[in-house]
Amino acid sequence: MKALSRIYAIFYKELLQLKRDKMTFAMIVMIPLMQLILFGYAINTNIRHIPVGVVDQSHSALSRILIQTISATQVVTFEQHYMNTTQAEAGIASAQVRAVLVIPADISQRLARHPVVGLGTPPATNQETVRPVAQWMVDGSDTLVASAIKSLRNMPLAELLKKPANRNTPTFEVTLFYNPEQRTVVNIVPGLVAVILTMTMIMFTSGAIVRERERGNMEMLITTPVSSLELMIGKIIPYLFIGFLQVIIILGLGHVLFHIPINGSLLSLAGATLLFITASLTLGLVISTIAKNQLQSMQMTVFVLLPSILLSGFMFPYEGMPVIAQNIAEALPATHFMRLIRGIVLRDANFTDLNRDIYWLILFTLGGLLIASIKFKKTLD
Amino acid sequence: MSEYVIQARQLSRNFGDIKAIQQLDLQVEKSQIYGFLGPNGCGKTTAIRMLIGLLKPSSGEIEVLGLKLPDNADKLRLKIGYMTQNFSLYYDLTVKENLQFIGRVYGLSINEQKKRIDELLDVYDLNKQKNQLAGTMSGGQRQRLALSAAILHHPELLFLDEPTSAVDPENRRDFWEKMFALSDQGTSILVSTHYMDEAERCHKLAILKSGIKRADDTPENLMQQMDANVVEIEANNLPQLKKDLLELSDIISTAQLGARLRVLVKKSVKDPLDFLSQHNNIQSRDQLTLARPNLEDVFVTSTGEQST
């Protein structure tokens, strides 16, 4: 009873301070709002309209039709014409264009031998005579751009010859679940919840104890009967609400602006979010008990934040990382929450499917609270 | 036999190589105002922090309100109030919110809280400021708020660490009135200060210098039993005289007060007036008078140094 009163005292005090700290309060709403709109519109892995150039050595009707057919895919936009390949390479080097299409002078002969034309070249000599009709020179440094252009490699040519688009039967049939239109934003928005919560939750609490110490309140606090655990809990609770507010902003707005489906139950969503918020908050508290001042706590927050963005699967698929990086990612709460929230929001997964992630978050929270309470001594030694 | 609220034996505390407190013995009686007098950095704050259980002593024993420290620090916290040297309540909370926070922390019921806060706002003249942020108040107001927060839970024993260092003389006098009122109600108070006039008002006094207790008694006894006589000299060219006198081993210190020079002569000198008038620089027309010792003289004699 007395303990509850003390926790309430800390909690209410934090609320009042937060209310008066207009800047922080604004950031609580602005961070998710701005980041959602920014990332929602900006991050797109379906790349379109890559600026490219062309070196047309054949100057034929065929080459012009080929260029038009490629333009029609919308993957690239032809912006430059170069006289020769040397100029074209210079164009790539100076970042005028990302790639250059080189159409050889003998394009009609190459096309004639192409199997699409179907002139019935003897199979035995295929290897020697059939050559690609043209060449792409690509600035391969950005792998996403490069693979977008590589996807043009097997572009159907039937259209070029006014033949019916008689495509071959593919080896595999691919059925895309959960995001059939392949919109990047569907994957980004739930992930954004994890990133923004990591950022704000750790940042707010990492400064919590340090601030009391810096402003000289700690000496008063530790002479009161407040125990370290009560102090920690009282400081965490206001941010729980803030965390939920941010989740509602991100997913609600994501639903309205980007039509992100919320397939799972709201209850499991709330449960998973609660676990992640408490895990992040305790991590912040641990930082807070180690850091000597607010600058240090900020630096430590960034130290956790960067891997949470880059290794958690938010930007790059977890499966593509080397095992060591995967192990580091496993330690981060953000990785587990990334799986949870994508699972719940997009795939309607339930807790039993995701219990490994749930257990880890619970374990992380308990461990964090324990470490923070032990590290925080009620003396000035 | 009077009852002791604080007993410390051979208390020491080191910070690395620095000896902040050395072999401090201390006994504070119930319902008294006990003063720690000493210059900045003499270990007053360190001593207080150890007596509260905020710092662990390097060696020695402490018993406060019958509780052995530092083991019983948690139990002690409910019985004592502590006013820190720097304002340690929240600048971004109002007077009332700060007091409510303290009330909740000490587990007062809502009714108790309300009654007590209204009472304190009245006694400490903070009614007008009750909805003002602590950060926007004057030093005196903030200090009254800090005191009311420290006594909100009716502590038996109050620790005040230089409570008046940021306050004007009028507020200081007023503050001492409040302290005497508390002491009359039975609260024991340990207060640290570097003001002589404040120290003189304490029931009992310990003079600290570089972590060592140099004297410990009532202000009256300290002044009477001082190991020196005070002579005031009226003469010309006082700075030169001051310099010359200080070279004599029997002179403890000299201090110029306007047109006079206040000289502390060791008690071992039987007749200080005669002793001084023998001095070359003192002419027959110069006035020499024996003066009543004050606490500053006690301080200088016991610490062997000019006070700040």
Side-chain angles (χ1 to χ4, degrees), chain A residues 92-93 95 97-100 136-143 145-147 149:
Chain A
I92 295 175
V97 289
R98 291 296 202 130
V100 173
W136 279 104
M137 302 193 295
V138 185
D139 167 8
S141 47
D142 190 322
T143 52
V145 171
S147 57
I149 292 185

Side-chain angles (χ1 to χ4, degrees), chain A residues 190-191 193-195 197-198 268-269 271-277 279-280 283 307-309 311-314 318 321 325-345 347 349-351 353-365:
Chain A
V193 174
V195 170
L197 282 184
T198 305
S268 30
L269 181 62
T273 310
L274 180 72
L275 284 176
F276 177 62
I277 291 175
S280 300
L283 181 56
S308 293
I309 294 176
L311 298 184
S312 64
F314 173 63
Y318 173 84
M321 296 189 297
Q326 285 185 348
N327 289 340
I328 296 170
E330 282 292 325
L332 296 166
T335 309
H336 297 273
F337 184 61
M338 201 67 73
R339 280 182 211 144
L340 283 172
I341 189 150
R342 280 184 177 155
I344 294 166
V345 169
R347 303 198 305 270
N350 56 34
F351 274 15
D353 304 331
L354 301 163
N355 56 13
R356 270 195 58 239
D357 299 307
I358 304 268
Y359 290 147
W360 175 254
L361 287 181
I362 293 173
L363 208 71
F364 192 93
T365 306

Side-chain angles (χ1 to χ4, degrees), chain A residues 2 67 82-83 91 95 117 120 140 167 175 229 241 243 247 250 263 265 273-274 314 319 322 329 371:
Chain A
K2 288 261 169 87
I67 290 170
Y82 297 106
M83 298 306 293
V117 180
R167 295 176 69 177
T175 310
L229 192 65
F241 291 105
V247 175
I250 298 168
N263 297 321
S265 79
T273 310
L274 180 72
F314 173 63
E319 291 74 12
I371 293 172

Side-chain angles (χ1 to χ4, degrees), chain B residues 22-60:
Chain B
Q22 296 177 54
Q23 274 103 44
L24 177 69
D25 286 308
L26 202 67
Q27 288 184 320
V28 178
E29 287 168 38
K30 197 173 160 21
S31 303
Q32 278 204 342
I33 298 182
Y34 189 93
F36 269 173
L37 178 66
N40 292 328
C42 71
K44 292 179 300 224
T45 302
T46 305
I48 290 181
R49 283 178 176 170
M50 281 196 286
L51 295 174
I52 296 174
L54 284 186
L55 282 178
K56 286 194 175 74
S58 303
S59 65

Side-chain angles (χ1 to χ4, degrees), chain A residues 95-320:
Chain A
Q96 260 182 327
V97 289
R98 291 296 202 130
V100 173
L101 178 65
V102 183
I103 302 175
D106 60 346
I107 181 170
S108 41
Q109 288 168 35
R110 285 169 181 243
L111 192 64
R113 292 204 182 116
H114 204 272
V116 169
V117 180
L119 286 181
T121 334
T125 58
N126 254 2
Q127 293 281 324
E128 295 142 42
T129 55
V130 175
R131 282 183 292 166
V133 296
Q135 185 196 18
W136 279 104
M137 302 193 295
V138 185
D139 167 8
S141 47
D142 190 322
T143 52
L144 280 176
V145 171
S147 57
I149 292 185
K150 268 149 84 181
S151 73
L152 290 170
R153 206 157 40 175
N154 293 319
M155 201 184 79
L157 286 171
E159 224 175 303
L160 209 61
L161 305 161
K162 300 206 174 117
K163 279 191 166 187
N166 181 21
R167 295 176 69 177
N168 295 336
T169 318
T171 317
F172 301 109
E173 170 150 354
V174 178
T175 310
L176 295 165
F177 284 166
Y178 310 121
N179 186 9
E181 300 144 294
Q182 291 291 283
R183 291 188 299 139
T184 315
V185 73
V186 169
N187 205 33
I188 288 288
V189 169
L192 204 56
V193 174
V195 170
I196 288 180
L197 282 184
T198 305
M199 185 160 73
T200 49
M201 293 299 102
I202 297 181
M203 200 154 63
F204 285 148
T205 43
S206 68
I209 305 283
V210 181
R211 198 166 51 239
E212 299 271 352
R213 195 160 282 149
E214 274 190 351
R215 293 190 188 165
N217 307 125
M218 194 51 83
E219 199 177 349
M220 178 268 298
L221 266 186
I222 55 181
T223 45
T224 65
V226 174
S227 76
S228 39
L229 192 65
E230 287 158 5
L231 183 66
M232 305 285 161
I233 293 173
K235 280 196 163 276
I236 279 181
I237 297 173
Y239 297 107
L240 272 182
F241 291 105
I242 288 167
F244 271 105
L245 181 73
Q246 291 187 324
V247 175
I248 291 168
I249 292 176
I250 298 168
L251 288 182
L253 221 62
H255 191 65
V256 174
L257 287 181
F258 302 109
H259 312 289
I260 309 298
I262 296 178
N263 297 321
S265 79
L266 289 178
L267 196 69
S268 30
L269 181 62
T273 310
L274 180 72
L275 284 176
F276 177 62
I277 291 175
T278 45
S280 300
L281 289 174
T282 45
L283 181 56
L285 280 181
V286 172
I287 291 177
S288 201
T289 52
I290 297 169
K292 295 268 188 310
N293 54 49
Q294 294 204 58
L295 183 66
Q296 284 184 3
S297 75
M298 220 49 188
Q299 290 168 344
M300 283 192 239
T301 305
V302 173
F303 183 76
V304 177
L305 184 62
L306 276 180
S308 293
I309 294 176
L310 296 174
L311 298 184
S312 64
F314 173 63
M315 304 276 272
F316 314 108
Y318 173 84
E319 291 74 12

Side-chain angles (χ1 to χ4, degrees), chain B residues 261-296:
Chain B
L261 195 67
R262 197 173 172 93
V263 183
L264 295 183
V265 186
K266 282 189 181 166
K267 262 240 164 87
S268 51
V269 177
K270 283 277 171 311
D271 186 351
L273 287 180
D274 186 52
F275 166 76
L276 280 172
S277 51
Q278 304 294 319
H279 194 269
N280 296 337
N281 283 16
I282 297 193
Q283 277 116 42
S284 49
R285 61 187 164 86
D286 292 343
Q287 287 257 326
L288 273 76
T289 42
L290 265 177
R292 182 185 167 275
N294 63 25
L295 206 56
E296 181 149 1

Side-chain angles (χ1 to χ4, degrees), chain B residues 140-307:
Chain B
Q141 291 166 341
R142 219 176 278 160
Q143 174 226 33
R144 294 204 296 275
L145 169 61
L147 180 64
S148 22
I151 60 164
L152 191 131
H153 58 292
H154 297 286
E156 295 169 42
L157 174 60
L158 197 54
F159 292 87
L160 309 171
D161 193 1
E162 295 196 4
T164 54
S165 53
V167 174
D168 63 54
E170 196 186 325
N171 275 307
R172 270 172 56 194
R173 203 165 54 237
D174 190 51
F175 189 81
W176 274 83
E177 297 306 318
K178 307 276 193 259
M179 274 171 56
F180 280 115
L182 283 172
S183 151
D184 283 344
Q185 288 158 26
T187 310
S188 318
I189 298 174
L190 189 146
V191 59
S192 77
T193 181
H194 52 234
Y195 290 118
M196 298 299 162
D197 59 329
E198 287 190 347
E200 207 160 343
R201 305 177 76 157
C202 297
H203 294 117
K204 245 181 139 183
L205 194 60
I207 294 178
L208 286 180
K209 175 77 207 303
S210 309
I212 298 167
K213 190 174 79 172
R214 301 300 178 97
D216 180 7
D217 210 329
T218 63
E220 294 73 28
N221 286 347
L222 284 174
M223 286 186 268
Q224 270 166 28
Q225 292 159 14
M226 187 172 79
D227 197 22
N229 287 310
V230 186
V231 180
E232 287 195 347
I233 307 173
E234 272 184 68
N236 296 321
N237 198 7
L238 289 178
Q240 184 57 45
L241 180 61
K242 182 173 152 97
K243 223 171 132 192
D244 290 343
L245 286 178
L246 273 177
E247 276 163 19
L248 300 175
S249 59
D250 284 329
I251 305 288
I252 296 168
S253 89
T254 59
Q256 192 173 347
L257 304 167
R260 286 166 297 139
L261 195 67
R262 197 173 172 93
V263 183
L264 295 183
V265 186
K266 282 189 181 166
K267 262 240 164 87
S268 51
V269 177
K270 283 277 171 311
D271 186 351
L273 287 180
D274 186 52
F275 166 76
L276 280 172
S277 51
Q278 304 294 319
H279 194 269
N280 296 337
N281 283 16
I282 297 193
Q283 277 116 42
S284 49
R285 61 187 164 86
D286 292 343
Q287 287 257 326
L288 273 76
T289 42
L290 265 177
R292 182 185 167 275
N294 63 25
L295 206 56
E296 181 149 1
D297 301 327
V298 176
F299 185 81
V300 170
T301 314
S302 53
T303 62
E305 223 178 80
Q306 215 74 34
S307 78

